[in-house]
CSV table of all heavy atoms in Angstrom, one decimal:
chain,number,residue,atom,x,y,z
A,1,GLY,N,-13.8,31.5,74.3
A,1,GLY,CA,-15.0,30.7,74.5
A,1,GLY,C,-14.9,29.7,75.6
A,1,GLY,O,-15.8,29.5,76.3
A,2,GLU,N,-13.7,29.0,75.7
A,2,GLU,CA,-13.5,28.1,76.8
A,2,GLU,C,-13.5,28.7,78.1
A,2,GLU,O,-14.0,28.1,79.1
A,2,GLU,CB,-12.2,27.3,76.5
A,2,GLU,CG,-12.2,26.4,75.3
A,2,GLU,CD,-10.8,25.8,75.0
A,2,GLU,OE1,-9.9,26.2,75.6
A,2,GLU,OE2,-10.8,24.9,74.2
A,3,LEU,N,-13.0,30.0,78.2
A,3,LEU,CA,-13.0,30.7,79.5
A,3,LEU,C,-14.5,31.0,79.9
A,3,LEU,O,-14.8,30.8,81.1
A,3,LEU,CB,-12.2,32.0,79.3
A,3,LEU,CG,-12.3,33.0,80.5
A,3,LEU,CD1,-11.8,32.3,81.8
A,3,LEU,CD2,-11.6,34.3,80.2
A,4,VAL,N,-15.3,31.5,79.0
A,4,VAL,CA,-16.7,31.8,79.3
A,4,VAL,C,-17.4,30.5,79.7
A,4,VAL,O,-18.2,30.5,80.7
A,4,VAL,CB,-17.4,32.4,78.1
A,4,VAL,CG1,-18.9,32.5,78.3
A,4,VAL,CG2,-16.8,33.8,77.8
A,5,GLN,N,-17.1,29.4,79.1
A,5,GLN,CA,-17.7,28.1,79.4
A,5,GLN,C,-17.3,27.7,80.8
A,5,GLN,O,-18.1,27.2,81.6
A,5,GLN,CB,-17.4,27.0,78.4
A,5,GLN,CG,-18.1,25.7,78.6
A,5,GLN,CD,-17.7,24.7,77.5
A,5,GLN,OE1,-16.8,24.9,76.8
A,5,GLN,NE2,-18.5,23.7,77.4
A,6,LEU,N,-16.0,27.9,81.2
A,6,LEU,CA,-15.5,27.5,82.5
A,6,LEU,C,-16.2,28.3,83.6
A,6,LEU,O,-16.6,27.8,84.6
A,6,LEU,CB,-14.0,27.8,82.5
A,6,LEU,CG,-13.3,27.7,83.9
A,6,LEU,CD1,-13.4,26.3,84.5
A,6,LEU,CD2,-11.9,28.2,83.9
A,7,LEU,N,-16.3,29.7,83.3
A,7,LEU,CA,-17.0,30.5,84.3
A,7,LEU,C,-18.4,30.1,84.5
A,7,LEU,O,-18.9,30.1,85.6
A,7,LEU,CB,-16.9,32.0,83.9
A,7,LEU,CG,-15.5,32.6,83.9
A,7,LEU,CD1,-15.5,33.9,83.1
A,7,LEU,CD2,-15.1,32.9,85.3
A,8,ASP,N,-19.1,29.7,83.4
A,8,ASP,CA,-20.5,29.3,83.5
A,8,ASP,C,-20.7,28.0,84.2
A,8,ASP,O,-21.8,27.7,84.7
A,8,ASP,CB,-21.0,29.2,82.1
A,8,ASP,CG,-22.5,29.2,82.0
A,8,ASP,OD1,-23.2,30.1,82.4
A,8,ASP,OD2,-23.1,28.1,81.7
A,9,GLN,N,-19.6,27.2,84.3
A,9,GLN,CA,-19.8,25.8,84.9
A,9,GLN,C,-19.1,25.7,86.2
A,9,GLN,O,-19.1,24.6,86.8
A,9,GLN,CB,-19.2,24.8,83.9
A,9,GLN,CG,-19.9,24.7,82.6
A,9,GLN,CD,-19.3,23.7,81.6
A,9,GLN,OE1,-18.2,23.2,81.8
A,9,GLN,NE2,-20.0,23.4,80.5
A,10,ILE,N,-18.6,26.7,86.8
A,10,ILE,CA,-18.0,26.6,88.2
A,10,ILE,C,-19.1,26.2,89.1
A,10,ILE,O,-20.1,26.9,89.2
A,10,ILE,CB,-17.3,27.9,88.6
A,10,ILE,CG1,-16.1,28.2,87.7
A,10,ILE,CG2,-16.9,27.8,90.0
A,10,ILE,CD1,-15.4,29.5,88.0
A,11,THR,N,-18.8,25.2,89.9
A,11,THR,CA,-19.8,24.6,90.8
A,11,THR,C,-19.5,24.9,92.2
A,11,THR,O,-18.3,24.8,92.7
A,11,THR,CB,-19.9,23.1,90.6
A,11,THR,OG1,-20.2,22.8,89.3
A,11,THR,CG2,-20.9,22.4,91.5
A,12,ILE,N,-20.5,25.3,93.0
A,12,ILE,CA,-20.4,25.5,94.4
A,12,ILE,C,-20.3,24.1,95.1
A,12,ILE,O,-21.2,23.3,95.0
A,12,ILE,CB,-21.6,26.3,95.0
A,12,ILE,CG1,-21.7,27.7,94.3
A,12,ILE,CG2,-21.5,26.4,96.5
A,12,ILE,CD1,-22.9,28.4,94.6
A,13,LEU,N,-19.2,23.9,95.8
A,13,LEU,CA,-19.0,22.7,96.5
A,13,LEU,C,-19.5,22.8,97.9
A,13,LEU,O,-20.0,21.7,98.5
A,13,LEU,CB,-17.5,22.4,96.6
A,13,LEU,CG,-16.7,22.2,95.3
A,13,LEU,CD1,-15.2,21.8,95.6
A,13,LEU,CD2,-17.3,21.0,94.5
A,14,GLN,N,-19.5,23.9,98.5
A,14,GLN,CA,-20.0,24.1,99.9
A,14,GLN,C,-20.6,25.5,100.1
A,14,GLN,O,-20.0,26.5,99.6
A,14,GLN,CB,-18.8,23.8,100.9
A,14,GLN,CG,-19.2,23.9,102.4
A,14,GLN,CD,-18.0,23.7,103.3
A,14,GLN,OE1,-17.0,23.3,102.8
A,14,GLN,NE2,-18.2,24.1,104.5
A,15,PHE,N,-21.7,25.6,100.8
A,15,PHE,CA,-22.2,26.9,101.2
A,15,PHE,C,-21.5,27.2,102.5
A,15,PHE,O,-21.9,26.8,103.6
A,15,PHE,CB,-23.7,26.8,101.4
A,15,PHE,CG,-24.4,26.4,100.1
A,15,PHE,CD1,-24.8,25.1,99.8
A,15,PHE,CD2,-24.7,27.3,99.1
A,15,PHE,CE1,-25.4,24.7,98.7
A,15,PHE,CE2,-25.3,27.0,97.9
A,15,PHE,CZ,-25.7,25.7,97.7
A,16,ARG,N,-20.5,28.0,102.4
A,16,ARG,CA,-19.6,28.3,103.6
A,16,ARG,C,-20.3,29.1,104.7
A,16,ARG,O,-20.2,28.7,105.8
A,16,ARG,CB,-18.3,29.0,103.1
A,16,ARG,CG,-17.2,29.1,104.1
A,16,ARG,CD,-16.5,27.8,104.2
A,16,ARG,NE,-15.5,27.7,103.2
A,16,ARG,CZ,-14.8,26.6,102.9
A,16,ARG,NH1,-15.0,25.5,103.6
A,16,ARG,NH2,-13.9,26.5,102.0
A,17,LYS,N,-20.9,30.1,104.3
A,17,LYS,CA,-21.6,31.0,105.3
A,17,LYS,C,-22.7,31.7,104.6
A,17,LYS,O,-22.5,32.4,103.6
A,17,LYS,CB,-20.6,31.9,106.0
A,17,LYS,CG,-21.2,32.7,107.2
A,17,LYS,CD,-20.1,33.5,107.9
A,17,LYS,CE,-20.6,34.2,109.1
A,17,LYS,NZ,-21.1,33.3,110.2
A,18,ASP,N,-23.9,31.7,105.1
A,18,ASP,CA,-25.1,32.2,104.4
A,18,ASP,C,-25.3,33.7,104.6
A,18,ASP,O,-25.7,34.4,103.7
A,18,ASP,CB,-26.4,31.5,104.8
A,18,ASP,CG,-26.4,30.1,104.2
A,18,ASP,OD1,-26.0,29.9,103.1
A,18,ASP,OD2,-26.8,29.2,105.0
A,19,ILE,N,-25.0,34.2,105.8
A,19,ILE,CA,-25.1,35.7,106.1
A,19,ILE,C,-23.7,36.2,106.5
A,19,ILE,O,-23.2,35.8,107.5
A,19,ILE,CB,-26.1,35.9,107.2
A,19,ILE,CG1,-27.5,35.3,106.8
A,19,ILE,CG2,-26.3,37.4,107.4
A,19,ILE,CD1,-28.1,35.9,105.6
A,20,VAL,N,-23.1,37.0,105.6
A,20,VAL,CA,-21.8,37.5,105.8
A,20,VAL,C,-21.8,39.0,106.0
A,20,VAL,O,-22.4,39.7,105.2
A,20,VAL,CB,-20.9,37.1,104.6
A,20,VAL,CG1,-19.5,37.7,104.8
A,20,VAL,CG2,-20.8,35.6,104.5
A,21,THR,N,-21.1,39.5,107.0
A,21,THR,CA,-21.0,40.9,107.3
A,21,THR,C,-19.5,41.3,107.1
A,21,THR,O,-18.6,40.4,107.0
A,21,THR,CB,-21.5,41.3,108.7
A,21,THR,OG1,-20.7,40.6,109.7
A,21,THR,CG2,-23.0,40.9,108.8
A,22,GLU,N,-19.2,42.6,107.1
A,22,GLU,CA,-17.8,43.0,106.9
A,22,GLU,C,-16.8,42.4,107.9
A,22,GLU,O,-15.7,42.0,107.5
A,22,GLU,CB,-17.8,44.6,107.0
A,22,GLU,CG,-18.4,45.3,105.8
A,22,GLU,CD,-17.7,45.0,104.5
A,22,GLU,OE1,-16.5,44.9,104.5
A,22,GLU,OE2,-18.4,44.8,103.5
A,23,PRO,N,-17.2,42.3,109.2
A,23,PRO,CA,-16.2,41.7,110.2
A,23,PRO,C,-15.9,40.2,109.8
A,23,PRO,O,-14.9,39.7,110.3
A,23,PRO,CB,-16.9,41.8,111.5
A,23,PRO,CG,-17.9,42.9,111.3
A,23,PRO,CD,-18.4,42.9,109.9
A,24,ASP,N,-16.7,39.5,109.0
A,24,ASP,CA,-16.5,38.1,108.7
A,24,ASP,C,-15.5,38.0,107.6
A,24,ASP,O,-14.9,36.9,107.4
A,24,ASP,CB,-17.8,37.4,108.3
A,24,ASP,CG,-18.8,37.4,109.4
A,24,ASP,OD1,-18.4,37.2,110.5
A,24,ASP,OD2,-20.0,37.6,109.1
A,25,LEU,N,-15.2,39.0,106.8
A,25,LEU,CA,-14.5,38.9,105.6
A,25,LEU,C,-13.0,38.5,105.8
A,25,LEU,O,-12.5,37.7,105.1
A,25,LEU,CB,-14.6,40.2,104.8
A,25,LEU,CG,-16.0,40.6,104.3
A,25,LEU,CD1,-15.9,41.9,103.5
A,25,LEU,CD2,-16.5,39.5,103.4
């Protein structure tokens, strides 16, 4: 239950890149 809660609460700190293609990976 704590694991599911952790996954549900992970917060995005930064939008690193909005459009990503295979060469960017």
Side-chain angles (χ1 to χ4, degrees):
E2 291 174 349
L3 171 60
V4 171
Q5 185 177 17
L6 169 65
L7 290 167
D8 193 66
Q9 294 178 350
I10 294 179
T11 299
I12 297 171
L13 298 181
Q14 182 182 347
F15 299 98
R16 190 78 81 191
K17 191 175 179 63
D18 289 321
I19 305 297
V20 176
T21 60
E22 289 297 320
D24 298 320
L25 296 180

